[in-house]
Amino acid sequence: MRYTESIGSRTYRFADLKTLMAKASPQRSGDQLAGVAAVTEEERVAAKMALAQVPLRTFLNEALIPYESDEVTRLVIDDHSPQAFAEIAHLTVGDFRNWLLSSTTDADTLTRITAGLTPEMVAAVSKLMRNQDLILAARKRPVITRFRNTVGLPGHMSVRLQPNHPTDDVKGIAASMLDGLMYGCGDAMIGINPASDNLAAITKLLLMIDEFRQRYQVPTQSCVLTHVTNTIAAIEKGAPVDLVFQSIAGTEKANASFGISLALLQQAYEAGLSLQRGTVGNNLMYFETGQGSALSADAHFGVDQQTCEVRAYAVARKFNPFLVNTVVGFIGPEYLYDGKQITRAGLEDHFCGKLLGVPMGCDICYTNHAEADQDDMDNLLTLLGVAGINFIMGIPGADDVMLNYQSTSFHDALYVRNVLGLRRAPEFEEWLESMQITDARGALLSASPQQPLLEGARDWMGMA
């Protein structure tokens, strides 16, 4: 189906819905690299005007990537609920934007329609929204998950403690972990990106975290971010696996480049469930995504990078994840050129994920060759805190010495919690108070050798 829109005497024609979506996207370097972006701002405005008039039903009849050749498309279509969709089935994309921003549309309403939304519908409406619209609508839609604690409650924000080390040195990782916990970080999880995919090294890290968690009765969850096949092997060998990690993308071909399929993810999900390690819930999958991953794998099929990204959230929600993390600036300036593009992408990803019922967090980050700096990250951190982000990263000094990129620090988490009045996961907050790390209000107490965590740290570090 062709789409047209006139501005003055000039008429713009868009060959299909895929082209229209790409041309309506805010400017970003990845779409320019792929050759799908609008050539001028006027063309972009024309595409937005035409997209606003498209009925939501169209996305059920015009697949951007064919049903027959892509298992993600099949998942989206086969899992779509006509009953949930009925409430908004009469709307156009423009009407849907207005409906989302209406004061009468609340969390219960958004939860009710979740199964009726496709990623393409959600991506389309985001292209018509200003940053403040993305913040307002996302804030309305909490997504709450549970494993050993509860993440995503309104008024709360959790932190993934990321104590990476360039050689997987166990004592170095343990030192960073203790540092983060003393700053009140780690309620989302303690998650290590290993430098090696060696199964013995991965198991050693899992055992170290689990021994520490049990020794101090920490109500959190651990994860070593290795390929899902390694995690399955670790489970089979009896390793103490809490969360099961995998990077995912929005097309079958892109996922194949990661060495995964929906069937393999299902196998991993069932393996994780078989361990029954959760205490307050059984959400146990941890997924990471990022705009540009499909393009970098030559697996985007002419679809803009943001829509490909949102399709990954449909993959994620199939497996009831505990956390989903858009690593927004990590892939590099080829895809998100500067601080402005990174900020917009982070807000889009959070809004789209929440609307699809996914527990969204964000690694608010950039690489050193991007046109961005820590002030840009401060801005995005604050905006996402207002928007109701489930979790962020906590990295020593905001500088990951293993992955070589810039993110957010333990102090950044303190800042945003302070200015916005955000609390930690309630179970974790109770533990921090019992360990004399925080007071009843969640504020940090001054460190002293008598604090239980520090008092036993020397002995434990000696055993690590």
Side-chain angles (χ1 to χ4, degrees):
M1 180 177 176
R2 294 180 66 86
Y3 301 86
T4 63
E5 186 64 44
S6 296
I7 296 180
S9 60
R10 187 177 286 107
T11 298
Y12 291 90
R13 294 178 174 82
F14 308 98
D16 50 29
L17 188 55
K18 174 170 60 178
T19 303
L20 180 64
M21 294 269 284
K23 299 289 187 181
S25 297
Q27 184 179 21
R28 59 205 52 197
S29 51
D31 289 339
Q32 292 170 322
L33 180 64
V36 301
V39 176
T40 66
E41 283 302 313
E42 185 174 276
E43 184 183 23
R44 182 172 288 110
V45 170
K48 289 177 184 287
M49 292 169 65
L51 183 60
Q53 300 171 50
V54 174
L56 291 179
R57 289 185 182 277
T58 303
F59 294 94
L60 300 175
N61 302 318
E62 188 176 343
L64 305 191
I65 301 173
Y67 181 95
E68 297 75 17
S69 61
D70 187 272
E71 68 173 0
V72 177
T73 300
R74 293 194 290 275
L75 171 67
V76 168
I77 298 301
D78 293 350
D79 282 7
H80 180 259
S81 168
Q83 293 76 24
F85 182 59
E87 190 167 347
I88 56 170
H90 61 289
L91 300 177
T92 65
V93 176
D95 294 333
F96 186 38
R97 172 192 174 273
N98 296 337
W99 182 87
L100 287 169
L101 299 177
S102 169
S103 60
T104 59
T105 301
D106 58 13
D108 289 341
T109 307
L110 293 175
T111 302
R112 194 166 58 239
I113 67 162
T114 297
L117 296 174
T118 70
E120 291 82 0
M121 293 176 193
V122 174
V125 74
S126 75
K127 298 176 191 301
L128 305 183
M129 301 174 88
R130 293 170 55 187
N131 286 3
Q132 67 173 244
D133 299 337
L134 298 171
I135 293 168
L136 175 60
R139 187 176 176 84
K140 293 183 181 185
R141 179 53 167 107
V143 180
I144 300 166
T145 56
R146 296 175 173 88
F147 189 74
R148 284 200 192 90
N149 60 30
T150 306
V151 171
L153 293 166
H156 292 67
M157 186 199 73
S158 296
V159 177
R160 170 191 162 186
L161 174 49
Q162 184 170 308
N164 294 344
H165 192 278
T167 63
D168 289 341
D169 180 77
V170 174
K171 289 188 177 179
I173 289 171
S176 292
M177 186 171 70
L178 285 168
D179 189 25
L181 289 167
M182 291 303 297
Y183 279 101
C185 295
D187 51 339
M189 70 168 174
I190 300 170
I192 302 168
N193 297 86
S196 165
D197 269 341
N198 178 275
L199 187 58
I202 290 162
T203 302
K204 186 176 182 180
L205 294 176
L206 286 168
L207 288 168
M208 181 272 287
I209 302 175
D210 199 58
E211 192 278 331
F212 174 85
R213 182 190 62 78
Q214 292 192 60
R215 183 185 181 105
Y216 291 99
Q217 299 182 310
V218 192
T220 191
Q221 35 285 320
S222 65
C223 185
V224 175
L225 281 67
T226 186
H227 192 271
V228 69
T229 52
N230 286 334
T231 303
I232 293 171
I235 290 172
E236 290 172 347
K237 290 182 178 297
V241 172
D242 287 344
L243 303 185
V244 177
F245 163 77
Q246 183 56 49
S247 293
I248 58 173
T251 72
E252 180 178 347
K253 184 179 177 182
N255 282 326
S257 76
F258 292 147
I260 62 167
S261 64
L262 296 180
L264 181 58
L265 293 177
Q266 182 65 36
Q267 180 185 349
Y269 179 47
E270 291 173 2
L273 286 174
S274 72
L275 299 180
Q276 298 182 329
R277 290 175 60 85
T279 55
V280 298
N282 60 2
N283 301 112
L284 56 82
M285 299 300 284
Y286 173 57
F287 294 117
E288 288 192 344
T289 68
Q291 289 194 28
S293 59
L295 175 58
S296 66
D298 190 27
H300 62 102
F301 303 100
V303 176
D304 68 271
Q305 69 179 40
Q306 187 238 344
T307 301
C308 285
E309 169 75 1
V310 183
R311 284 168 56 93
Y313 305 154
V315 175
R317 72 174 174 178
K318 177 70 175 175
F319 302 102
N320 303 312
F322 183 65
L323 308 168
V324 177
N325 179 26
T326 169
V327 193
V328 67
F330 183 75
I331 302 182
E334 300 85 356
Y335 306 98
L336 296 169
Y337 180 73
D338 57 14
K340 182 175 182 179
Q341 291 189 15
I342 292 171
T343 297
R344 173 70 190 192
L347 294 176
E348 287 171 348
D349 293 351
H350 178 247
F351 160 79
C352 291
K354 283 291 187 67
L355 216 57
L356 289 171
V358 170
M360 289 303 297
C362 184
D363 191 340
I364 300 161
C365 63
Y366 63 101
T367 56
N368 287 317
H369 61 310
E371 292 294 323
D373 59 26
Q374 213 63 35
D375 285 337
D376 295 308
M377 300 306 102
D378 287 349
N379 293 342
L380 180 54
L381 170 64
T382 306
L383 294 173
L384 286 171
V386 173
I389 193 80
N390 277 32
F391 71 100
I392 62 168
M393 302 298 110
I395 297 172
D399 184 4
D400 193 299
V401 295
M402 196 282 281
L403 293 172
N404 294 309
Y405 78 115
Q406 311 305 308
S407 184
T408 48
S409 70
F410 307 145
H411 298 82
D412 295 332
L414 290 176
Y415 147 73
V416 76
R417 281 174 168 152
N418 186 31
V419 298
L420 298 177
L422 300 172
R423 304 300 293 254
R424 301 168 182 88
E427 301 90 344
F428 191 78
E429 201 157 75
E430 289 178 12
W431 176 80
L432 289 173
E433 186 179 355
S434 73
M435 299 298 284
Q436 301 171 40
I437 296 171
T438 63
D439 63 19
R441 299 172 296 114
L444 287 185
L445 298 172
S446 298
S448 72
Q450 286 72 46
Q451 286 173 309
L453 200 58
L454 291 181
E455 194 172 34
R458 186 186 300 274
D459 291 341
W460 179 78
M461 287 285 289
M463 294 186 294

